[in-house]
Amino acid sequence: MSWKRKTTAPRSSAGRPLPWSAARLFPSPGASADPLSRWIVPALLIGTVAGLGAVALFGLLHLCTELLLEDIAGFRPYRTSSEGGPRDLVPSERPWAVPLVAAGGALLATAFALWLAPEARGHGTDAAISAAHHDPAGMRGRTTVVKLVASALTIGSGGSGGTEGPAAQISAAFGSVIARRTGMSRRQARTALVIGLASGVGAIFQAPLGGALLGAELLYRRDMDARVLPKALVAACAGWLVFGACYGFAPVLGRHAPDGPGFGASDFVLIAVTGLLCGLAGRLYTSAFYAVHLRTEDRVRSVPARIATPVAAALLVGILGLLVPGVLGTGYGLMEALTDRELVAGLPVLLLLAIPLAKIAGTALTVGSGGSGGIFGPCMVVGAGTGALAWRLGEALHLPSAGPFPYVVVGMAACLGPVANAPLGVLVMATEMVADASLLGPGMLAVLCASAVTGRTTLYRSQLERRTWKPRETAEEQDETTKSRSGTAHTPGPAPAPARTPEQEPGPSPEPKSAHVATSRVTGAGSTASPVAGPVPGPADQPMAQPSPSAPACASD
């Protein structure tokens, strides 16, 4: 009897090879290196769909906010320039309805996600990073729709979350589906997923260069993959063009004229202090989020509890949002409002201190409890509030010669960049959001000062420490990739152990393995798992990320 068996009937599109004319436009699965010309078509396709996903998310979120938060609850949050704002913040007409609306939106979103795609809960960026390392061709197509609806309901009803997480997971899932349908190898599927992530974030923030750099940096804590950068630029530009064609090409936070005579020596001292404060805020933000998230994951097991926990958290967030501006929704409009000198000068110092603290608590409760939303954007809001607070304190001492605008922008980059381990991408993205490249220099100073405070703190725990060098895929991996795309999986049996290709850096040769080492298992995701026997003596080597045991070989859409 054969040791192979078919677990599912192969899909017609997955098992059928592409026509020769179409195959020339996609990367070759057996190639050790792909020229950029082979990635132009898939990158344009992924970027276009990412732009359409960002358009759908932006439109649906705007609709839910108007219907739920404004019409039903009578609460009018700040808006960005791209949304027709900023506008004055007025008290809610029905304050008692705000927590109820937030809880109702969390109830609908969580039940919907648990029913169709539980992986759509929580923050989507970390899920996309995990999939890139473990199973890049395994993300399900339905995740895009579920994440879109669940995030719009959660954030539109008042939950504190960002749009970049949903945009990243939606576009990354489409890149994964494209890789699976076209029979890409594991390495190529990872590239497709990463450029999808980059184009989705770049489109929703109208920052294509920052999004592409983010895709190269975001997978690793102390490294970056520059090989994906040209492909990510193509995809991010395509997504930016699609989104801009629907909602315009103006910067997300508008264009701002210089406020004051410009930077002086005292400004750079205060910029450094702003970076240090933002580093502390980034550490606090990360710690608070994971304090709630890990406690929820450990203690909340049943389905009713998984629904009730985000609902209870949404009630608390709704009450908190009535007391402090910028907590409800994305808070992006508050970032733009804080660039106004008169507004910041007229706010009490205690309220400016409460804005970042309340946003930290609101995001930890909303997303950490299992609600659908991003944690990337709210961290920028925390940084903007911290930058406005630093400017206000410096203004009392007559230190700054510029207005709060540069402090808000560099605060956005200094709070998020170090904890996301993507300082360059976040800094470029922050300047693109205000269309002012002159802030790159002050932003670098603030980011460096913040990095000295954050240390090894990371907002995305699925990131690997460094990139593992791998010259080429093994023949066995290519063979397993092809089989997994055609719907064929292996069952445990007396299969001979496949040959291993060394993946470590050059160094002394390892000692011979013992003869009794157990046979390795070949997974359906296309990688070879570690032997079940104990460790073999030899030089230290950083292991490759292994596929998740629960990940299917060919995910069902």
Side-chain angles (χ1 to χ4, degrees), residues 283-489:
R283 291 196 67 155
L284 179 61
Y285 179 83
T286 305
S287 301
F289 171 76
Y290 279 106
V292 177
H293 174 69
L294 296 178
R295 186 180 296 269
T296 302
E297 290 294 315
D298 291 340
R299 299 187 179 183
V300 178
R301 300 290 185 180
S302 63
V303 173
R306 289 186 177 184
I307 295 177
T309 302
V311 173
L315 282 171
L316 297 176
V317 173
I319 296 173
L320 186 62
L322 292 173
L323 304 176
V324 183
V327 174
L328 301 182
T330 61
Y332 299 161
L334 179 65
M335 289 195 295
E336 183 172 355
L338 290 176
T339 61
D340 183 78
R341 178 191 286 265
E342 294 182 1
L343 185 144
V344 177
L347 292 177
V349 174
L350 288 179
L351 181 59
L352 287 173
L353 176 63
I355 286 175
L357 296 178
K359 192 64 178 177
I360 290 172
T363 307
L365 288 171
T366 299
V367 187
S369 64
S372 182
I375 58 176
F376 184 104
C379 192
M380 298 182 84
V381 178
V382 172
T386 306
L389 173 64
W391 178 85
R392 179 64 186 279
L393 294 175
E395 180 73 7
L397 300 174
H398 305 286
L399 290 179
S401 55
F405 167 68
Y407 294 89
V408 169
V409 178
V410 302
M412 291 160 52
C415 188
L416 175 62
V419 295
N421 296 300
L424 182 59
V426 172
L427 176 59
V428 172
M429 181 174 291
T431 58
E432 285 184 291
M433 291 172 68
V434 296
D436 192 345
S438 66
L439 296 176
L440 286 173
M444 290 179 188
L445 175 61
V447 169
L448 288 174
C449 293
S451 299
V453 177
T454 56
R456 298 178 64 84
T457 304
T458 179
L459 192 58
Y460 300 114
R461 297 196 172 184
S462 294
Q463 291 173 328
L464 296 184
E465 188 69 17
R466 293 187 182 277
R467 190 158 57 98
T468 302
W469 294 94
K470 191 173 184 181
R472 69 174 69 88
E473 289 184 308
T474 63
E476 289 79 6
E477 182 178 353
Q478 296 174 12
D479 180 64
E480 291 304 318
T481 303
T482 305
K483 290 175 181 176
S484 65
R485 302 297 175 266
S486 61
T488 303

Side-chain angles (χ1 to χ4, degrees), residues 168-212:
Q169 192 170 9
I170 288 169
S171 53
F174 181 75
S176 180
V177 171
I178 286 291
R180 184 165 67 248
R181 294 294 186 176
T182 57
M184 291 184 185
S185 66
R186 181 183 178 86
R187 173 180 54 81
Q188 293 165 340
R190 183 186 295 112
T191 300
L193 188 150
V194 169
I195 65 176
L197 183 154
S199 56
V201 177
I204 201 70
F205 282 136
Q206 292 284 68
L209 179 56

Side-chain angles (χ1 to χ4, degrees), residues 34-53:
D34 299 312
L36 180 60
S37 58
R38 285 292 189 102
W39 277 98
I40 295 295
V41 170
L44 288 175
L45 180 60
I46 292 171
T48 300
V49 174
L52 292 175

